Amino acid sequence: MRGLLPVALFRFALAVFPASSALAQVPPANIPPLPKASGAKTPLLAAWTQFVNTTGFGKQAVRAIQARFVVMGDLTDCDGYAARSPAAQEVEASLRGHLQGFNPANGKGFTVTVCTANLPETWDEVRLENASAGLLTVYPSYKEAILPGPAIMSRKPPSGVVMADTGCRGKYGNPGSRFYQDCRTDWPFPQIIAEAVSDDPAFVLHVGDYHYFFEDDDSYWHQDDGRDRFEYWLQEFLIPAQPLLMKASWVLGRGNHERCEPHRWFGEGWHVLFSGISLDGANGSLLRPCYDPDPSGNDWVVPSWAVDFGSKGDPWRVVVIDSNQPADDRNGFLQAAALTEAHEGNSLWLSHYPPVKMIYYKPEPDYGNAGIKADAADAMDCEAPYACRPRIVFTGHQHLYQRITWKDQAAAESLPQIVIAGHGGTRVDPNGLPGYAHGANANPSISCTQTFPGTLPGSGASFGFGAGEEAVLRTSSQNGYVAIQRNRQAPGDIGWVVTPKWIGTPPAFPNASVACDGKPIP
């Protein structure tokens, strides 16, 4: 449980020692001037609607949607704030948690309060209001705080947007480094958001990695709370994503950058803003995720959960797997298989780490994390086609686009298609396919075929997911996102039309003259 004394000391340090504190040592965020005062009329700092799990693992999911919003100030509750429908129905907001920030304009620390409201399924619009100030606006656009309601899902065509790895690395090292990205001139995420808004999606699936800011600059790693600060969440996600956050409801998955490792990653911010698990502690206190003990005993790993988007005539399900740590993912995959089996197929899975891939960041091909490959293969080991397996697994982690489609029909029924949508804004990596092409000779896009081996090169361990199967890989190192449209007659019996979208000229995906590993095609 979070004690009062450490919190008081932390806030004292923010107020009194900003120039020398760990918070002041990190490079300042590039954000518009924050509202100068807190109070009923102060614009919200962010607002969105998101799907959450309300029934627990292994049970029939419901289409539960919450409105969440961020208020300037350290509030003890969210009294006075409410979500209201056009018919004047009202749901009072409740307190979810707090986050700390550092204002680059005045060099002072500040606290924000995250509030939430459970929305009735019949609402098609949500207005965020304050009892004394009326309808609120949202910084920095100052648009009225009007969000999509749950009923929009049943009125729009079942189409959505998938994205991952959307954050910006920052200018670390030299401009030719993999870790160097100028967030002002070389970060396409705001443009990706604008393009996705024009698609008019009913929902958005984010597969993790929102926050990268200087993630490999060792000089800043060793300061607790030096990185997971609210102004960076504004800079890297909440501000650029605002047009789409206020357009559609989101499923907000977790990536490895949202881990709970002190000094390094951004798990506390993700949990307070986006996680579906409760932060209520004993005697009315709030838990500080990633720092206080997890009362569920899961070490702040979220059990796999599902949300049902479909209708009685066309049921389908999204299962969300918390694979932020490969060593902790086994239960997540097994739980996902159980949730899929309970739904009798027609599922999509979100997992930040892909069960299988093929890229050349190094001289040898990288097929994916061995543990994840084995865990995914075990979880999907069921006899009937799709009984415990999804039709598609959407993933991220690799900073490129790759789609893996199985050539054999039996394999296609046993193994879902894999779509890596890690081209969402972070500086893309060269895929190096086919063979060992690197640098200027690397192919920005390629289509090639590959038979995955039975054992992993080097270790000799069982290959796991996809062993011995032939697949077509379409790979591109170009930023964009993925649009999906429900179609029960879609090729491959996957139930969805999957369309990659691109910033700039669409890639050509030329057919390689050799296999994906560079070997001659028989």
Side-chain angles (χ1 to χ4, degrees):
M1 185 182 303
R2 178 171 51 184
L4 295 179
L5 182 58
V7 174
L9 290 175
F10 178 65
R11 292 176 182 167
F12 177 79
L14 284 175
V16 179
F17 302 112
S20 59
S21 70
L23 296 180
Q25 293 173 19
V26 183
N30 178 30
I31 57 174
L34 291 163
K36 294 183 178 180
S38 59
K41 297 182 180 181
T42 302
L44 303 174
L45 296 182
W48 65 95
T49 57
Q50 69 176 76
F51 296 92
V52 293
N53 184 32
T54 58
T55 57
F57 159 67
K59 299 179 180 179
Q60 184 75 14
V62 296
R63 190 184 303 166
I65 295 182
Q66 289 181 345
R68 292 195 180 181
F69 54 96
V70 183
V71 180
M72 178 69 84
D74 187 2
L75 306 184
T76 57
D77 54 52
C78 294
D79 292 354
Y81 291 92
R84 186 184 294 270
S85 75
Q89 295 175 293
E90 184 176 294
V91 175
E92 294 183 354
S94 59
L95 175 65
R96 175 157 180 83
H98 300 94
L99 291 172
Q100 308 298 327
F102 194 73
N103 190 337
N106 60 19
K108 295 182 180 180
F110 66 96
T111 303
V112 298
T113 301
V114 181
C115 302
T116 185
N118 295 318
L119 303 177
E121 283 200 35
T122 56
W123 289 17
D124 57 9
E125 185 180 277
V126 182
R127 301 166 63 91
L128 300 179
E129 300 184 356
N130 181 277
S132 59
L135 180 63
L136 297 165
T137 60
V138 184
Y139 155 95
S141 68
Y142 299 101
K143 292 183 177 180
E144 292 180 331
I146 301 176
L147 306 173
I152 293 295
M153 282 293 298
S154 60
R155 298 179 185 177
K156 284 189 174 183
S159 62
V161 164
V162 185
M163 58 181 64
D165 300 273
T166 57
C168 184
R169 290 186 177 278
K171 294 189 288 185
Y172 171 62
N174 63 73
S177 165
R178 177 175 181 253
F179 304 107
Y180 184 101
Q181 185 176 18
D182 189 329
C183 301
R184 295 173 184 257
T185 63
D186 188 30
W187 184 40
F189 181 51
Q191 187 178 351
I192 288 171
I193 289 294
E195 295 287 341
V197 167
S198 69
D199 285 349
D200 194 26
F203 59 89
V204 182
L205 311 178
H206 196 298
V207 200
D209 279 9
Y210 312 76
H211 186 353
Y212 285 75
F213 191 63
F214 288 88
E215 90 262 12
D216 281 308
D217 187 343
D218 290 338
S219 65
Y220 300 111
W221 275 133
H222 306 294
Q223 302 289 350
D224 194 13
D225 293 306
R227 293 304 179 93
D228 199 0
R229 287 169 19 200
F230 181 69
E231 77 272 23
Y232 294 139
W233 283 99
L234 285 172
Q235 172 182 277
E236 283 194 77
F237 185 70
L238 293 172
I239 290 176
Q242 185 181 107
L244 193 54
L245 285 170
M246 298 179 69
K247 175 76 171 180
S249 295
W250 291 57
V251 172
L252 293 152
R254 186 181 186 186
N256 63 299
H257 283 256
E258 290 80 55
R259 289 175 177 170
C260 277
E261 294 181 12
H263 318 301
R264 290 180 61 93
W265 306 102
F266 316 114
E268 180 184 16
W270 180 84
H271 270 290
V272 174
L273 291 167
F274 303 139
S275 171
I277 64 175
S278 172
L279 303 181
D280 294 336
N283 301 319
S285 64
L286 285 175
L287 297 171
R288 185 181 180 190
C290 302
Y291 290 85
D292 290 333
D294 181 357
S296 69
N298 293 319
D299 197 23
W300 296 106
V301 174
V302 179
S304 294
W305 60 281
V307 57
D308 290 340
F309 288 171
S311 63
K312 290 183 178 179
D314 183 24
W316 57 279
R317 168 173 283 191
V318 170
V319 180
V320 187
I321 303 166
D322 182 352
S323 64
N324 81 93
Q325 289 275 26
D328 297 331
D329 74 342
R330 183 170 183 80
N331 284 339
F333 278 108
L334 292 173
Q335 292 164 352
L339 285 164
T340 299
E341 194 165 16
H343 190 61
E344 300 179 353
N346 291 335
S347 292
L348 309 177
W349 287 10
L350 304 185
S351 167
H352 183 70
Y353 280 89
V356 70
K357 63 188 178 186
M358 188 174 186
I359 56 175
Y360 281 95
Y361 288 174
K362 300 177 181 179
E364 299 79 24
D366 181 353
Y367 293 111
N369 181 278
I372 288 179
K373 289 160 55 55
D375 294 339
D378 289 347
M380 297 183 204
D381 185 16
C382 51
E383 294 182 1
Y386 310 121
C388 66
R389 292 183 291 268
R391 305 299 177 106
I392 311 172
V393 180
F394 288 106
T395 77
H397 191 60
Q398 308 306 146
H399 301 160
L400 45 69
Y401 167 84
Q402 185 170 89
R403 183 174 181 179
I404 300 176
T405 305
W406 309 100
K407 294 190 72 174
D408 180 72
Q409 179 60 36
E413 292 178 350
S414 300
L415 300 168
Q417 288 193 24
I418 306 296
V419 177
I420 300 175
H423 57 320
T426 302
R427 178 172 178 169
V428 291
D429 287 312
N431 60 73
L433 297 174
Y436 298 95
H438 288 280
N441 295 320
N443 293 295
S445 70
I446 199 71
S447 178
C448 55
T449 60
Q450 181 66 28
T451 299
F452 292 111
T455 58
L456 285 166
S459 69
S462 175
F463 188 84
F465 185 93
E469 299 295 345
E470 187 179 12
V472 176
L473 282 69
R474 291 169 63 87
T475 307
S476 179
S477 297
Q478 184 171 334
N479 286 117
Y481 62 99
V482 174
I484 61 173
Q485 175 76 45
R486 179 66 171 152
N487 185 337
R488 300 173 77 172
Q489 283 72 48
D493 196 26
I494 61 173
W496 292 86
V497 175
V498 178
T499 307
K501 299 293 188 77
W502 308 101
I503 299 301
T505 303
F509 291 107
N511 292 321
S513 59
V514 295
C516 298
D517 59 4
K519 296 177 182 178
I521 298 175

